[in-house]
Amino acid sequence: MGPVGVLALQGAFREHRAALERLGVPVREVRLPADLNGLSGLILPGGESTAMGRLLREFGLREPLCRLGKEGLPMWGTCAGMILLAERIVGEDTVHLGLMDIAVRRNAYGGQLDSFRTELTIPAVSPAPFPLVFIRAPYVEEAGPQACVLAMLNGKIVAVQQRNLLATAFHPELTDDLRFHRYFLHAIERYHH
């Protein structure tokens, strides 16, 4: 497996990098289009989606990311990364990468003080409950027919998959639990075989 990229323009990319390194995976931080060459997959971390979207354009990453996503490169967006992948953002005209057939609501659970932890079983990934961390999190308000819902919390969609694309409203990288990162690595292995 070639290196797995972590978009490193802004936000919680170091935590994803550390999780991948714990699993023995080569990691490359992505800041410029040349950093995308030869990647096996890419993680879009949490952070500030508006700032990240602006930086994607300024650094010339938006078009190559859209192309790679459509060509089948495995990508996983967490929190703000989910917003970057969405085709629609509720109440806004903005679209960043627009790769997933989902409509997301930004800051859907409130502000920083409304951040919370909980547990949830996500059968597609593991039979045992996951510790979930939500920080100014979005949720998916609407998932189109292209998107498969992996998890719901209190009636809200918090994890979806669409072919090579995975999106979670929560932050597995902020826990010691590596099962979601392993799940993404399995998706990468399937893509490359």
Side-chain angles (χ1 to χ4, degrees):
M1 178 185 297
V4 176
V6 181
L7 186 68
L9 298 177
Q10 194 263 350
F13 58 90
R14 291 177 190 86
E15 291 82 355
H16 275 297
R17 177 177 189 130
L20 291 169
E21 287 175 343
R22 283 174 60 199
L23 291 168
V25 177
V27 183
R28 182 189 302 156
E29 294 184 0
V30 172
R31 295 185 176 87
L32 296 170
D35 298 330
L36 297 168
N37 294 333
L39 290 183
S40 295
L42 178 68
I43 293 177
L44 309 169
E48 173 51 52
S49 62
T50 303
M52 291 170 70
R54 178 174 51 78
L55 292 170
L56 284 179
R57 289 172 172 81
E58 287 182 10
F59 286 78
L61 283 163
R62 182 177 183 276
E63 285 71 25
L65 285 180
C66 287
R67 177 176 49 79
L68 289 169
K70 289 175 183 170
E71 288 175 356
L73 182 75
M75 294 185 184
W76 172 22
T78 58
C79 195
M82 170 187 264
I83 297 168
L84 295 179
L85 289 172
E87 283 184 357
R88 299 174 301 284
I89 302 173
V90 175
E92 299 181 21
D93 295 329
T94 306
V95 173
H96 298 293
L97 299 177
L99 291 168
M100 292 190 82
D101 187 13
I102 55 176
V104 299
R105 181 173 289 280
R106 296 176 68 233
N107 298 328
Y109 292 98
Q112 191 82 24
L113 295 177
D114 301 304
S115 300
F116 62 98
R117 291 174 177 262
T118 188
E119 287 197 343
L120 186 67
T121 300
I122 305 174
V125 182
S126 172
F130 283 89
L132 304 183
V133 179
F134 289 81
I135 301 172
R136 292 188 298 132
Y139 58 66
V140 176
E141 191 156 290
E142 183 184 338
Q146 305 284 326
C148 174
V149 175
L150 295 183
M152 297 185 74
L153 179 67
N154 300 326
K156 308 298 185 190
I157 300 168
V158 294
V160 289
Q161 191 160 15
Q162 179 179 320
R163 296 187 305 276
N164 55 307
L165 306 171
L166 175 66
T168 57
F170 47 86
H171 291 269
E173 78 281 9
L174 298 182
T175 74
D176 291 331
D177 194 314
L178 294 173
R179 285 175 291 165
F180 238 100
H181 286 83
R182 283 197 190 94
Y183 181 74
F184 182 58
L185 295 178
H186 289 319
I188 290 175
E189 288 169 358
R190 285 196 302 274
Y191 169 70
H192 290 284
H193 286 97

